[in-house]
Amino acid sequence: MENIILNVSGMSCGHCVKAIEGSVGELAGVDQVKVNLEDGQVAVSFNNEKVTLDKIKETIDDQGYDVE
Ligand SMILES: [Cu+2]
């Protein structure tokens, strides 16, 4: 299991938290996803044999947020 913290800009409210935690959480291979609004960070635990970091970043991007 990989644990990463992504810096994501554009997150501002509970809707953003739900959008990101919902979409990333639905990906097969993602174990946990937790948004920290204050720090603008998203912590993700995932199985890198089932899902790639690029796919996770792309999913966040697709929701309208910028991943560093
Ligand atoms: Cu929002």
Side-chain angles (χ1 to χ4, degrees), residues 27-45:
L27 293 173
V30 170
D31 186 48
Q32 279 194 328
V33 50
K34 185 80 190 123
V35 172
N36 183 326
L37 268 186
E38 274 181 21
D39 296 337
Q41 293 181 327
V42 179
V44 188
S45 302

Side-chain angles (χ1 to χ4, degrees), residues 12-13 15-16:
S12 58
C13 67
H15 165 81
C16 304

